[in-house]
Amino acid sequence: MTWVAAAMAGSAILGYAGSQNQASAARSAAELQAQAAQRAQDQQMQMFTTLNEQQKPYREAGYSALGKIGEMLPQFTKTFGAADLNANLAPNYEFMRQQGLGATAQGANVASPGSNVDLAKTIFAEKYAQSGYQDALNNYRNQQTDIYNRLSSLAGIGQTAQGSSQALGSQTAANIGQLGIGGASATGAGMINAANAQAGGLQGFGNAATMYSLLNPSGGTSDVSDANFMKKYNAIGA
């Protein structure tokens, strides 16, 4: 074999070795990208788990308050009755009624002795009872409204926490999906690049063999000088 043929063979071998290294580098780079994508996915999931756990007490408080509202719904919708009236009268109602009746009776006696004291007391009692009823009704309504508002506020906190968790979950799922697609794309691109590099190396071998057969069709090398070999190589290359 002439030195030109040897050089061609050596060049083909070096080219193939280089293509193998290129293919290996492409696979390694793809693997690193895939691993980085997996780590990013794990971090996304860990962050979601942490934040979702932090929202848990607020969600539980909201669920509890919402359940309490459901339990008290019959009470919130029932009609104001006698039991509610007695329960919501001012603590000093009876004392003030007795004091008012006594003052009315005394005033009636002083103003006009012998007048109808019972009638004056009845009128006072009716008006006082009307005022007491209205006060009791207002107290009842205010109490019910206060209870509902407090529970509703807690339920709202839970609803907000639930909404935050849902939004976070959707965003995390989207991010993990994108990272998965990126990792898969990197792996696929690395495999394609590696295959292309290997094919290029094999093609270099084939080209060298074809060139050598064209320059030395007889298959021998003893009667082909280096000068003639180069002339043929250059002529074909031209």
Side-chain angles (χ1 to χ4, degrees):
M1 179 183 292
T2 66
W3 68 268
V4 176
M8 291 178 63
S11 177
I13 293 173
L14 290 175
Y16 180 74
S19 68
Q20 290 295 98
N21 290 336
Q22 184 180 357
S24 178
R27 285 191 291 266
S28 297
E31 184 177 354
L32 288 174
Q33 286 181 284
Q35 290 175 354
Q38 183 60 56
R39 286 194 296 271
Q41 287 178 316
D42 294 340
Q43 289 176 349
Q44 285 279 334
M45 196 62 200
Q46 289 173 2
M47 181 59 68
F48 168 75
T49 301
T50 299
L51 295 177
N52 188 53
E53 192 66 22
Q54 291 175 350
Q55 294 289 339
K56 183 178 179 180
Y58 302 98
R59 293 197 305 271
E60 291 180 344
Y63 292 146
S64 178
L66 190 61
K68 192 64 176 179
I69 289 176
E71 293 176 4
M72 297 185 66
L73 190 59
Q75 181 180 343
F76 290 146
T77 57
K78 78 180 186 65
T79 304
F80 184 76
D84 303 309
L85 170 65
N86 294 329
N88 288 275
L89 286 173
N92 61 344
Y93 172 82
E94 186 61 29
F95 173 77
M96 294 301 297
R97 189 178 75 86
Q98 295 297 334
Q99 292 296 311
L101 288 174
T104 299
Q106 184 177 3
N109 286 329
V110 171
S112 53
S115 66
N116 194 341
V117 176
D118 291 335
L119 178 59
K121 292 172 63 176
T122 299
I123 293 174
F124 170 82
E126 288 177 350
K127 291 183 177 181
Y128 190 78
Q130 289 177 350
S131 176
Y133 178 89
Q134 190 61 49
D135 289 342
L137 178 60
N138 291 338
N139 291 339
Y140 175 80
R141 287 175 174 174
N142 291 338
Q143 183 185 59
Q144 297 292 84
T145 300
D146 182 63
I147 293 173
Y148 177 82
N149 286 344
R150 289 171 182 266
L151 293 175
S152 179
S153 178
L154 287 174
I157 292 174
Q159 185 178 19
T160 300
Q162 179 67 22
S164 298
S165 294
Q166 289 175 346
L168 179 62
S170 297
Q171 186 61 49
T172 300
N175 291 343
I176 289 177
Q178 289 297 323
L179 289 167
I181 293 173
S185 298
T187 300
M191 293 173 67
I192 292 173
N193 292 336
N196 289 339
Q198 288 178 325
L202 292 173
Q203 185 178 8
F205 262 128
N207 291 341
T210 300
M211 184 66 71
Y212 181 77
S213 66
L214 291 174
L215 293 173
N216 188 22
S218 64
T221 60
S222 60
D223 60 342
V224 181
S225 66
D226 290 341
N228 291 334
F229 199 91
M230 287 302 298
K231 286 180 181 179
K232 292 181 180 181
Y233 180 83
N234 292 333
I236 293 174

